Amino acid sequence: MAPSPARRLGVASVTLMIIAASAPLTVLAGGVTTTYAVTGLLGVPLSYLVLGAILAVFAVGYAAMSRHVTNAGAFYAYAAQGISRPVGVGVALVALTAYNLMQVGIYGVFGFTVSSLLAERFGLDVPWWAAVLACIAVVAVLGVNRVDLSARVLGILVALEFLVVIVYDISAFALAPEGIPAEPLSPSSLFVPGVGAVLSFGVAAFMGFESAAIYGEEARNPARTIPRATFCAVGIIAVFYAVSAWAMSAGVGTSQLAAVAGEQGPGLVFSFLGGHFGVIAADIAQLLFVTSIFAALVSFHNAVARYGFSLGRERVLPAWLEATTRHGAPKAGSLVQTGIAVAVTAGFAIAGTGSELGPLYPVLTLFTWLTNAGAMGLVLLMAVVSLAVVGFFRRRPELAPGPWAARVAPAVGAVALAVVFALIAANFDLLLGLTEPSPLSWVLPAIVVVPGVLGILWALRLRRTAPEVYARIGHGQEGAAHRLGEEA
């Protein structure tokens, strides 16, 4: 029997949606070069493997719980059913905030990159915000259409990204001026003062892998599709980025890697390709850099829209957020996210008029500020969800898959993620590029944490004023069906 129209996604489609959020070419050209430049440490390749191991442990319990909880709100439902309803609502608002920060922040680097390309190649003076508004419109169209259309678009873009990065990796290893170094894979190159900064930068490369559960209601077989897609994504991301970061150290040479990365930034990758394969190759890579960022924008947009849909369906937020298109896409949530992106972009555009930062303004403010705060929030969410997994199976021992998946792995994951969160908090000034104390170092984290507190308080109010709504918190389709039965 063919899957229902609402359940079109298989393992490959969900995996692509996850990997798209990490944006392979963006990680190599932007993330890896920045990490080498800022930290000066060579252990960046090993850091991806370490983070991959931590997130794989987290994914054990996360995947086990996904077999029993299918909800477009994912983290929200897990926390509600594993810890408590108030914590679930708090988690939902933190997730909405964090994904919005990540999605809108990425528009900053998109606008800068497109504006720079148009100026360099065609002599066109296009403001960064104009490029962003055009991109927001395209993302909005994909967001309100069939999700498998988005999956096909992302699949093509991600495949081309992988091709470019693979070409770069092979060439870098083949042309290694100082030979292929072993030092980047040595623990002594990573576990030294500054390791916190490396892990803080690196964790952003994995952001989005946890979004598999968000597509549970659109997967052909959620019990198998979601766990498999999650583990596939973690493994591919960890190994691929570790190899690519290692290739960069070989292609440049460890003796001058930090200096070159600091001087050229993302241009390091494109100048390498241009020098060995010609200007056309470099231009193609830069174009794919833009589409790489675009793929991440679409992925995070979908995540935000589905959280809004889930909360509207359960009446935790206004009911109109439950609206979907005839294809089943969360129309209202998508439009709200689009509106937020437009408003924030307009605000930064106005504030940046005449800024002394010049063309780099959207990168050093919109992108840097929002994405780092968003990544911090997502790590916090994963730590809380790890505890939720333990609570869920403790309350339902008949569903527990075994001690490892039900208790041990989630507990280990919670501790490890809490450590990563603490390292991000300790290095937040560095992540923001601040050289002296600034209100931003506590305002931005507060933007992530405060919604969680407000969510808990809102849930407690619902418990007093709307007990029927409170009772359905975190129960997705089951809760919606119960509500419809009451309204009939």
Side-chain angles (χ1 to χ4, degrees), residues 123-170:
L124 299 176
D125 183 16
V126 177
W128 68 269
W129 51 264
V132 169
L133 292 177
C135 182
I136 290 175
V138 176
V139 172
V141 171
L142 290 177
V144 297
N145 279 281
R146 288 171 49 169
V147 71
D148 56 348
L149 169 64
S150 297
R152 285 196 295 270
V153 172
L154 293 173
I156 295 172
L157 298 178
V158 172
L160 292 173
E161 285 184 60
F162 268 97
L163 178 61
V164 170
V165 176
I166 289 171
V167 169
Y168 172 84
D169 290 351
I170 294 174

Side-chain angles (χ1 to χ4, degrees), residues 263-284:
E263 179 183 346
Q264 298 186 22
L268 187 157
V269 173
F270 308 128
S271 63
F272 179 92
L273 293 172
H276 295 92
F277 297 97
V279 176
I280 294 179
D283 286 347
I284 292 174

